[in-house]
Amino acid sequence: MTVADARRACSCSDFSRTDLFRRVAAQAGSGLPAIEPGMPTPAGTGLSRRSFLLRTAGVAVAVYGGGALSGRLLEDGIANAAVHGTGNGRVLVSVFLEGGIDSLNVLFPAFDGRYYDLRPQLALKQSDGTPFAEDPRLRWHPSAAALDTLHREGKVSVMPGIGYDHPDKSHFTSRHYWEVGATDAHVVTGWLGRFLDVTGSPDNPLQGLSLDNLLQPALATGRVPVASLDGPDRYAYVVPKLEAENDLLDALAELGRVNAKAKDPALRQAAAAAAQAHRLRSDLHAFDGGIKSPVAYPNASGNNADFPRRLQGLAAMLAQGLPLRAVALRAPGMFDTHSDQANELASDLKLAADSLLAFQRDLEARGLADRVLVHVWSEFGRRAKENGSLGTDHGAAGVGFLIGSRARGKMVGEFPGLQNLDEQGNLRPTSDFRGVYSALFEQWFDTDAAQVIPNASQFARPALLK
Amino acid sequence: MAAPVFKGKFTAAAAERLLWRAGFGPRPGEAAALAKLGLRRAVRVLTRPGPEQLVGPAPVDDRGFPIAPFDATGHDHLWWLDRMVRTTAPLVERMTLNWHDWFATSLRGVGSQRLMLQQNELFRKYALGSFADLLHDVTVDGAMLHWLNGDKNAKNAPNENYARELMELFTLGADRAGGYTETDVREQARALTGWRSTRVQGTREYTFEYVPNRHDAGLKTVFGKSGDFAWQDSVRLCLQHPNHPSFFVTKLWSYFVPAAPPAATQSALEAIYRNGYQVRPVVEAILMHPLLYTGPRMVKPPTVYAAGMLRRLGRGIDTRAWVNLGLAAGQRLFLPPNVAGWNESRWLDTATFRGRWYLAATALGKAPASPPPNATAEQLVSRALGFWGRPPLGRASRDVLTRFAKHSLARGRSRGEVEASLRQLIATAPELQTA
């Protein structure tokens, strides 16, 4: 795939992020058509055939055919991604540390005098945290103890200087680059979304799952459907005093189906959402009684509870055999620490790390750990020099992780160090996120990265798996 | 060249679309009444609404007590939703919502509902006024100073947060030819130094003040111009930047029409805007543009969808449920996802669709359905469509509803139950998610 392929023709000016994402989103979810009128409908848009599901708990069985209202009455042609499996059965989970986490706090150069010069107020003490087993110059932030634990077990590959050349300091631009897998503001599908477009199925929204109230842009597809939900036990459509949920949802899906080929793009988008809601609900009946896990997850309150709860739900969905391939969610908190960094970062990082450890233990207990790899990323690192508000401004290279029983457990690129900052005082990258993406496709998914990442051949592939 | 004006017949359907784009949809009979005025007068009624009145029951919580928008969690959301539901100046509220998205500030970073609501008044004050005045005031608005660290930005400790977003998101746009550089970000941050917040002892409130010795009075170079710039200059330099009018017009347009403006329209709108940075004339030109009436439909933002149902039903705010439902549908007011605001094209996915389902169910909750005991399936569908003011459902959708009603009656469901279910299905049908 070339950059030109990844772009879609668009006549309008592209400078506003809102504009840009408007188009990204127009592509997301179900091969949803772009907003501009006159654009061709991507292949696979909408439901080209009747697709309904038998509501056998936990086993999603798609039934294809024509006919009247209730899809559950249709019984010919069984195709079931949950039974036949998807791809090689492996799952990639993308976890976003939003705001640009300060890599110099997560793994800090405890014995470098420059660190204490640059960070007179924010530097951690030499005795804080624990040593990083692969590089004696570095220590883990105390809140990252759970990552240290997994690292010592050989289940974490640390990317201590991940980024790209000519780094962009805008949250939205840099995040967009990471989400689309290219340093190109005009690519409108996500890096995981394009993977699903190449290898996915036209009628399995769960193949790309955003565990969020909104679709994570990395999953934006051009052709196949993907799903978004808050948690597998939180997807009911029950309304008191109305007819049974199943009957209402069947009618809703039908309203979606008959509008799936409407001329108007917004109508088609609404129609696709209705049809996918029906399908997704059918897949999740097994969780109506709640989620039971073999391990405990961290306790958290308010919005912070979302992350451990969603990981817990994800492990349960995988154990249920649901046909997931790429999953995306946000870690708790906001790492855009322009001020009061020490407190904010410590609590958010701890909850994120502890939750990821619990998730790994959950997968191990359920015998799923060899099938799942977690990719943790942030849009950039932060300025080496603190800013005087007890915080740090936007930087360049940052830190990322690959976590899982199959992760190689060795650093990808080395710590760039403080002696050779770029002209703006930021860390220089020692690995490129597009190389990591390409390696993930090839080594984890057995898929040619050139089909998915623009100019994939230009990026070195680190060895990521054991 | 003036921007083109819609020459087609200004029907009730056209007026209804206008009311959805420039407000929160019609109250019963409102679209037909607006259509009688003709396009120009209809637009002027919206852009020059006269003194605002709030019509309908005052907002209360689930126990019937008045809401406490400054203090009670979530009541900030209820307060504003109520205003959208009851206002006689819907475009003013819609523009206030647009500015909230444009200058997206979040309670999560600000921590004070009072500051958020004060900022909200600022957006309302300039809803259709001068963007120059709005930009000037919002730069030193308390919530904004907190949110983007303007109150931490000092001579000896510059903080780039506001400087960057001022250019990237508020006035110029990122990565454009002839745009700003990283040096401009740093220099603008220096120009913006000087503000400070102080907590009022024993309260959660703050005062904000400009402290001259926190300001970096040295020479700065911004966009190639040099001077001992202060925060007012920072704002002015952005407004005068050659990239600003095109950014402004494209962004404002995108709140009303989901297709890019034709080049001639774009330059006509820029010309209107350059003449004094006034918002109202640009909005008037957009609201009269043919593309608003003949172009593609728009997905209703969740808040617009919810407020629209309540306006239609004449129902006031009487439950806190709207707060979490807003979140589930993807738009909790005062809590945008980040400083870039909501992503207006991401309103519909499987998660937010479910939020909308419950928005509709909650809006419908108290409306009784009592059809005649011998009503047919067709009559039940007709009654349910009438309940929503006969929205323009396509033939195929109506056929689905009729089949559903027949099927339900055949299975012995009560007519009241079927009619209530039809209302729910109509509210969540693709046609009603869009306008």
Side-chain angles (χ1 to χ4, degrees):
Chain A
M1 169 175 290
T2 65
V3 172
D5 294 335
R7 293 181 176 189
R8 281 179 190 269
C10 179
S11 57
C12 46
S13 51
D14 293 329
F15 54 79
S16 125
R17 170 188 169 273
T18 320
D19 251 41
L20 176 65
F21 281 178
R22 180 166 282 118
R23 285 193 300 284
V24 174
Q27 297 293 326
S30 69
L32 296 176
I35 275 173
E36 289 75 26
M39 285 189 59
T41 305
T45 295
L47 302 176
S48 54
R49 56 198 158 181
R50 299 292 303 277
S51 169
F52 293 101
L53 292 137
L54 299 177
R55 287 171 172 77
T56 320
V59 182
V61 182
V63 180
Y64 302 85
L69 191 62
S70 173
R72 289 178 299 142
L73 303 177
L74 303 168
E75 290 192 5
D76 50 314
I78 295 175
N80 182 359
V83 172
H84 299 300
T86 54
N88 58 11
R90 289 176 176 173
V91 179
L92 183 63
V93 181
S94 165
V95 172
F96 177 37
L97 303 168
E98 184 172 6
I101 194 167
D102 182 23
S103 56
L104 288 170
N105 226 255
V106 177
L107 275 167
F108 64 99
F111 311 104
D112 187 337
R114 278 170 293 234
Y115 175 60
Y116 298 92
D117 295 339
L118 291 163
R119 300 283 180 94
Q121 301 185 87
L122 286 181
L124 294 160
K125 291 201 292 285
Q126 275 190 3
S127 56
D128 282 345
T130 46
F132 176 57
E134 284 182 78
D135 184 340
R137 296 177 295 170
L138 300 174
R139 291 176 74 85
W140 290 97
H141 189 289
S143 293
L147 293 176
D148 184 25
T149 301
L150 287 172
H151 181 250
R152 285 171 195 281
E153 293 173 15
K155 295 170 186 162
V156 179
S157 298
V158 176
M159 300 171 266
I162 186 121
Y164 53 95
D165 292 336
H166 309 296
D168 197 292
K169 310 298 187 305
S170 157
H171 289 296
F172 311 104
T173 304
S174 194
R175 174 180 173 175
H176 179 78
Y177 290 171
W178 280 79
E179 285 169 341
V180 303
T183 55
D184 184 333
H186 304 280
V187 176
V188 297
T189 48
W191 69 287
L192 294 169
R194 285 198 304 281
F195 162 67
L196 295 171
D197 276 339
V198 170
T199 65
S201 124
D203 58 1
N204 169 25
L206 276 174
Q207 61 200 332
L209 175 64
S210 169
L211 278 167
D212 202 323
N213 289 317
L214 297 167
L215 187 72
Q216 289 298 300
L219 288 166
T221 55
R223 190 176 72 81
V224 300
V226 292
S228 180
L229 73 153
D230 188 15
D233 56 339
R234 297 189 173 199
Y235 206 68
Y237 281 74
V238 177
V239 180
K241 295 181 191 161
L242 298 192
E243 298 190 43
E245 186 194 24
N246 288 349
D247 297 331
L248 286 173
L249 280 179
D250 285 346
L252 187 67
E254 197 71 0
L255 284 170
R257 188 186 69 80
V258 300
N259 287 291
K261 295 201 169 142
K263 281 202 204 87
D264 188 274
L267 272 181
R268 282 202 303 274
Q269 192 182 1
Q276 287 163 24
H278 171 269
R279 163 87 201 241
L280 185 59
R281 176 66 186 117
S282 310
D283 283 346
L284 297 173
H285 276 277
F287 303 100
D288 287 356
I291 290 167
K292 290 162 200 72
S293 301
V295 304
Y297 278 78
N299 280 317
S301 60
N303 296 320
N304 282 340
D306 290 341
F307 187 61
R309 174 177 60 74
R310 286 167 177 162
L311 287 177
Q312 187 177 16
L314 174 57
M317 291 171 85
L318 292 167
Q320 196 70 37
L322 290 179
L324 276 55
R325 301 203 73 191
V327 180
L329 68 166
R330 285 176 304 155
M334 170 58 79
F335 293 94
D336 189 23
T337 48
H338 287 280
S339 62
D340 193 25
Q341 171 166 309
N343 293 325
E344 280 196 31
L345 186 136
S347 58
D348 291 339
L349 176 62
K350 177 162 173 50
L351 180 56
D354 290 353
S355 301
L356 289 166
L357 174 60
F359 180 61
Q360 175 66 24
R361 294 293 184 249
D362 193 350
L363 296 175
E364 288 167 6
R366 294 178 189 269
L368 297 167
D370 283 340
R371 281 184 50 208
V372 182
L373 203 56
V374 179
H375 175 246
V376 183
W377 65 282
S378 194
E379 67 265 42
F380 40 60
R382 303 193 79 81
R383 191 80 40 86
K385 185 172 167 33
E386 65 186 35
N387 68 3
S389 312
L390 294 177
T392 48
D393 290 327
H394 303 179
V399 67
F401 306 99
L402 275 175
I403 304 173
S405 297
R406 295 290 315 283
R408 184 153 172 265
K410 302 275 185 236
M411 267 195 292
V412 176
E414 58 184 14
F415 177 63
L418 296 171
Q419 69 282 5
N420 183 28
L421 299 173
D422 71 14
E423 58 280 5
Q424 295 175 355
N426 296 317
L427 293 173
R428 293 178 189 272
T430 58
S431 61
D432 190 296
F433 72 102
R434 294 159 293 185
V436 171
Y437 288 179
S438 298
L440 280 169
F441 287 129
E442 288 163 359
Q443 297 166 31
W444 186 242
F445 281 132
D446 303 321
T447 296
D448 180 5
Q451 290 181 280
V452 183
I453 299 295
N455 310 314
S457 62
Q458 294 177 6
F459 307 108
R461 311 290 205 270
L464 298 178
L465 305 181
K466 288 192 181 82
Chain B
M1 272 276 287
V5 172
F6 176 56
K7 298 288 186 220
K9 190 166 161 43
F10 188 61
T11 59
E16 176 162 349
R17 178 177 276 199
L18 174 62
L19 284 165
W20 280 112
R21 300 281 174 91
F24 306 89
R27 297 178 193 280
E30 197 176 1
L34 200 67
K36 288 204 181 87
L37 298 179
L39 175 64
R40 279 176 193 279
R41 281 178 64 206
V43 167
R44 285 179 72 91
V45 161
L46 289 165
T47 60
R48 296 149 205 265
E52 183 195 25
Q53 289 171 13
L54 299 177
V55 180
V60 291
D61 68 11
D62 295 83
R63 294 181 300 164
F65 294 131
I67 61 170
F70 288 149
D71 302 312
T73 304
H75 286 204
D76 48 342
H77 180 99
L78 299 182
W79 179 86
W80 196 4
L81 183 63
D82 170 69
R83 193 134 180 180
M84 295 168 181
V85 172
R86 291 199 297 149
T87 185
T88 55
L91 178 57
V92 171
E93 285 315 306
R94 189 66 186 266
M95 278 306 300
T96 306
L97 181 59
N98 293 343
W99 295 136
H100 178 41
D101 180 75
W102 189 304
F103 295 102
T105 305
S106 171
L107 189 56
R108 200 161 286 156
V110 174
S112 157
Q113 289 174 202
R114 186 178 297 273
L115 285 178
M116 293 302 296
L117 289 164
Q118 281 169 2
Q119 187 190 67
N120 190 249
E121 281 304 322
L122 183 66
F123 294 152
R124 190 168 292 103
K125 176 180 171 186
Y126 294 118
L128 291 154
S130 156
F131 186 80
D133 291 347
L134 172 57
L135 188 67
H136 179 279
D137 285 13
V138 81
T139 298
V140 296
D141 162 71
M144 184 61 85
L145 284 170
H146 255 341
W147 170 238
L148 294 182
N149 307 121
D151 58 352
K152 301 247 169 56
N153 184 19
K155 180 179 181 176
N156 297 322
N159 186 307
E160 295 169 9
N161 209 1
Y162 187 78
R164 182 182 304 281
E165 308 308 5
L166 169 65
M167 294 187 282
E168 176 177 341
L169 298 171
F170 303 162
T171 60
L172 301 178
D175 306 321
R176 298 178 62 195
Y180 57 90
T181 64
E182 282 298 311
T183 307
D184 291 326
V185 173
R186 290 174 190 229
E187 294 288 282
Q188 285 279 40
R190 292 178 59 213
L192 288 158
T193 51
W195 285 83
R196 179 173 74 185
S197 62
T198 312
R199 195 166 185 152
V200 181
Q201 225 174 1
T203 73
R204 295 175 61 188
E205 302 307 325
Y206 289 83
T207 57
F208 298 87
E209 61 187 330
Y210 183 77
V211 183
N213 69 12
R214 282 170 64 87
H215 175 65
D216 179 343
L219 192 73
K220 298 113 190 162
T221 301
V222 177
F223 311 143
K225 300 184 178 77
S226 295
D228 52 352
F229 300 135
W231 68 270
Q232 297 93 334
D233 302 303
S234 185
V235 168
R236 177 180 52 80
L237 287 163
C238 289
L239 285 170
Q240 294 172 348
H241 192 286
N243 281 0
H244 173 60
S246 54
F247 172 85
F248 176 89
V249 162
T250 305
K251 186 154 173 162
L252 186 64
W253 171 275
S254 75
Y255 287 106
F256 296 100
V257 184
T265 296
Q266 170 83 27
S267 42
L269 295 177
E270 286 175 28
I272 295 170
Y273 177 65
R274 272 200 209 91
N275 181 21
Y277 305 115
Q278 294 298 311
V279 176
R280 190 187 326 265
V282 185
V283 169
E284 284 179 338
I286 294 172
L287 295 183
M288 289 195 285
H289 197 279
L291 267 180
L292 192 138
Y293 303 95
T294 60
R297 298 171 73 85
M298 273 179 111
V299 176
K300 295 174 190 170
T303 306
V304 173
Y305 177 66
M309 286 190 287
L310 294 174
R311 279 175 81 86
R312 166 79 219 166
L313 300 174
R315 182 176 166 188
I317 301 298
D318 54 12
T319 172
R320 203 185 166 286
W322 297 114
V323 183
N324 282 335
L325 289 173
L327 197 63
Q331 196 173 35
R332 158 63 157 99
L333 298 170
F334 303 109
L335 219 60
N338 55 53
V339 64
W342 285 280
N343 183 348
E344 289 84 358
S345 55
R346 280 282 168 71
W347 291 133
L348 280 171
D349 60 39
T350 56
T352 54
F353 186 86
R354 178 171 172 277
R356 287 172 183 255
W357 176 264
Y358 281 106
L359 282 173
T362 307
L364 282 166
K366 292 191 172 176
S370 39
N374 56 354
T376 63
E378 287 80 2
Q379 286 167 334
L380 290 172
V381 170
S382 176
R383 285 172 58 90
L385 286 168
F387 178 85
W388 284 119
R390 308 226 159 269
L393 252 66
R395 174 90 246 162
S397 296
R398 278 180 284 139
D399 288 348
V400 170
L401 296 174
T402 305
R403 285 206 301 274
F404 169 80
K406 279 186 176 154
H407 191 71
S408 296
L409 290 175
R411 283 185 305 167
R413 303 283 192 192
S414 82
R415 284 173 168 74
E417 198 180 31
V418 176
E419 187 174 327
S421 298
L422 287 166
R423 290 175 179 174
Q424 173 75 19
L425 289 169
I426 291 166
T428 49
E431 290 92 336
L432 271 80
Q433 303 289 349
T434 57

